[in-house]
Amino acid sequence: MHGIGRSVSGIASQGSALRLPSKGRPCVASRSALVTPSGMPLTKTSPIIMDGQVLHSISEERLELCRGLHDYMRDEVNPILKPVEKCWQPTDFLPASEDPDFLDKVHDLRQRSTCLPDDYLVVFAGDMITEEALPTYMTMLNTLDGVRDETGAAKTAWGIWTRAWTAEENRHGDIMNKYMYLTGRMNMRAVEVTIQNLIGSGMDPKTENNPYLGFIYTSFQERATKISHGNTARHALEHGDDILAKICGSIASDEARHEQAYQKIVDKLFELDPDGSMVAFGDMMKKQIVMPAHLMDDNVHKANTGRNLFADFSAVAERTGTYTAFDYADIMDHLIKRWHIADLSVGAGDAAASQEYVLKLPNRIRKLAERANARKDKGKKSNFSWVFGREVLLNTV
Ligand SMILES: [Fe+2]
Ligand SMILES: [Fe+2]
């Protein structure tokens, strides 16, 4: 996940600028019907609600189904992770601090990074902060019923996945942070304050401890981060920092493997329980994918600008074409294709309604995004602590 990946813009990021109309209460996989067409009975009809958040919404039968995926996880999904010895490490991209010419190499790095404009740095900072909040994402996976790592060192395929995935992801924030520190281009203290605040705030992806919802969320989010890091790689190359381009590209290729893994889990859910999976997909899309860093705060942005830091970061990501509402719609299209939603045979009722809703959604999102773009305050700027309070353009002029 971009880290469960990050995030981003307009509709994609906040869910406030472009709120999707939805009818009534959201449907939830476990409460969609008392008996599904595939004959799966549902034992849980009343969800637990705490502080307005729905908890443990999955039924016993679906929980069993998830537990039954253990061997599939072990044989088909976990091998998508790379053995440690085959993984890149942050130091592969950095001047070796034990080398006698370390300082010369740092000098070269700093020279090279002078080409990076402030808007690139702001987007990179937001992406890095998102990656650095990895403890939150590991926690999120370990809230999921039936698949969580019960001990912290569980030998189950699920526990092994979660720890190894986290370990792969940990390199992302690490390399981004070290590289930016060496460039001298970013106010690292402001970045660190934002990271500490974000981890302290956590996130509520609205996945209800429900692995169906959780893995749909991560399927979406890993693809979002792949797109975003792929674009920061391309932009770094255009600006003239080829090493930074390689760094971002290497992160994007990790995200691509992670995306495959999570989508493979959901492939199986659709195969074994098309109705429940369809309702879960519709539910996550109705609620919108909450971006992992939506609670970011640098302690000064609001006071200085009267604006929300995450919204402003998202606006810059959108304007620079790093991650946009159109990417959000494209990710939906990808998932619709991947899970054969148009051809999926589901029973009448909630599953059919979800299917219809999901199939229409990408184009609705694109229309809403076009309208939102037309309404944007052209030429609007904001100051970012991450680049020493300098002004950065939010919307095109
Ligand atoms: Fe990721
Ligand atoms: Fe990541």
Side-chain angles (χ1 to χ4, degrees):
M1 317 192 248
H2 180 301
I4 292 183
R6 170 205 34 254
S7 47
V8 202
S9 59
I11 193 164
S13 50
Q14 308 138 58
S16 53
L18 291 170
R19 189 157 299 285
L20 296 169
S22 72
K23 287 182 222 143
R25 67 173 307 289
C27 46
V28 176
S30 62
R31 301 190 298 273
S32 59
L34 291 177
V35 179
T36 70
S38 51
M40 182 176 288
L42 298 169
T43 53
K44 189 176 286 188
T45 52
S46 54
I48 303 162
I49 299 179
M50 191 173 79
D51 299 331
Q53 298 172 327
V54 180
L55 307 182
H56 305 290
S57 63
I58 195 165
S59 68
E60 280 306 317
E61 294 76 13
R62 291 199 163 110
L63 203 50
E64 272 315 304
L65 186 153
C66 291
R67 290 195 182 110
L69 297 186
H70 179 273
D71 291 357
Y72 177 74
M73 264 316 271
R74 183 194 58 207
D75 300 337
E76 304 290 331
V77 179
N78 285 2
I80 295 173
L81 292 163
K82 268 193 187 176
V84 175
E85 62 276 12
K86 290 198 175 149
C87 282
W88 58 266
Q89 296 297 338
T91 46
D92 299 341
F93 298 101
L94 297 167
S97 57
E98 67 274 25
D99 282 356
D101 61 350
F102 171 65
L103 293 177
D104 295 333
K105 285 183 177 155
V106 171
H107 178 75
D108 294 346
L109 182 157
R110 291 166 81 91
Q111 282 296 113
R112 200 171 56 236
S113 73
T114 54
C115 67
L116 302 171
D118 281 345
D119 56 8
Y120 183 90
L121 294 173
V122 164
V123 173
F124 192 92
D127 286 358
M128 167 167 54
I129 289 157
T130 309
E131 291 285 351
E132 290 279 41
L134 182 60
T136 299
Y137 318 135
M138 189 186 200
T139 300
M140 179 264 181
L141 287 176
N142 280 329
T143 65
L144 299 177
D145 291 334
V147 303
R148 70 172 59 86
D149 180 351
E150 297 282 358
T151 67
K155 292 186 170 54
T156 61
W158 298 104
I160 290 166
W161 164 266
T162 298
R163 294 191 303 275
W165 170 84
T166 304
E168 282 199 359
E169 285 283 341
N170 189 53
R171 292 136 62 242
H172 300 172
D174 195 353
I175 178 62
M176 294 171 88
N177 198 321
K178 282 180 175 143
Y179 192 86
M180 269 309 139
Y181 169 73
L182 288 175
T183 66
R185 299 290 320 281
M186 214 176 259
N187 182 341
M188 293 308 292
R189 193 172 200 287
V191 168
E192 287 160 353
V193 165
T194 317
I195 293 168
Q196 187 170 353
N197 276 329
L198 182 59
I199 295 174
S201 298
M203 71 159 180
D204 173 21
K206 301 188 170 65
T207 46
E208 306 176 5
N209 313 98
N210 184 327
Y212 281 52
L213 300 179
F215 294 131
I216 288 167
Y217 178 89
T218 52
S219 291
F220 189 105
Q221 203 47 52
E222 292 284 20
R223 190 169 179 86
T225 52
K226 179 187 79 173
I227 292 168
S228 179
H229 288 304
N231 284 328
T232 53
R234 187 166 53 82
H235 295 156
L237 200 58
E238 285 164 9
H239 293 309
D241 190 335
D242 57 324
I243 304 291
L244 186 56
K246 277 190 192 129
I247 290 170
C248 297
S250 301
I251 296 173
S253 78
D254 281 353
E255 309 293 13
R257 278 186 299 108
H258 298 166
E259 172 200 2
Q260 286 303 317
Y262 286 118
Q263 289 169 17
K264 220 168 153 80
I265 297 173
V266 181
D267 288 347
K268 201 66 178 171
L269 293 177
F270 268 106
E271 182 191 320
L272 298 175
D273 181 12
D275 278 52
S277 305
M278 189 62 246
V279 174
F281 190 20
D283 186 27
M284 279 318 294
M285 292 302 106
K286 259 180 206 158
K287 292 189 286 199
Q288 297 186 28
I289 297 294
V290 175
M291 294 301 159
H294 67 117
L295 297 175
M296 64 164 58
D297 179 15
D298 64 355
N299 286 357
V300 295
H301 196 83
K302 189 91 191 165
N304 290 346
T305 67
R307 301 171 57 86
N308 175 278
L309 176 59
F310 183 72
D312 282 355
F313 150 62
S314 299
V316 182
E318 175 106 26
R319 181 181 63 73
T320 55
T322 311
Y323 185 80
T324 72
F326 295 97
D327 291 318
Y328 189 104
D330 290 348
I331 294 170
M332 277 212 64
D333 273 336
H334 169 82
L335 296 176
I336 284 169
K337 233 191 208 167
R338 164 104 193 189
W339 296 325
H340 311 291
I341 300 300
D343 307 319
L344 195 69
S345 173
V346 291
D350 284 349
S354 287
Q355 184 179 32
E356 199 187 330
Y357 175 81
V358 163
L359 287 171
K360 285 183 184 156
L361 195 53
N363 284 339
R364 284 174 67 201
I365 289 170
R366 289 187 185 99
K367 277 188 196 135
L368 287 166
E370 275 162 20
R371 262 183 260 154
N373 281 344
R375 279 199 310 268
K376 270 182 190 160
D377 208 352
K378 295 203 186 329
K380 182 93 189 155
K381 293 177 180 172
S382 194
N383 304 77
F384 288 86
S385 64
W386 308 330
V387 289
F388 304 96
R390 289 194 294 270
E391 257 188 351
V392 172
L393 192 61
L394 300 179
N395 305 326
T396 43
V397 183

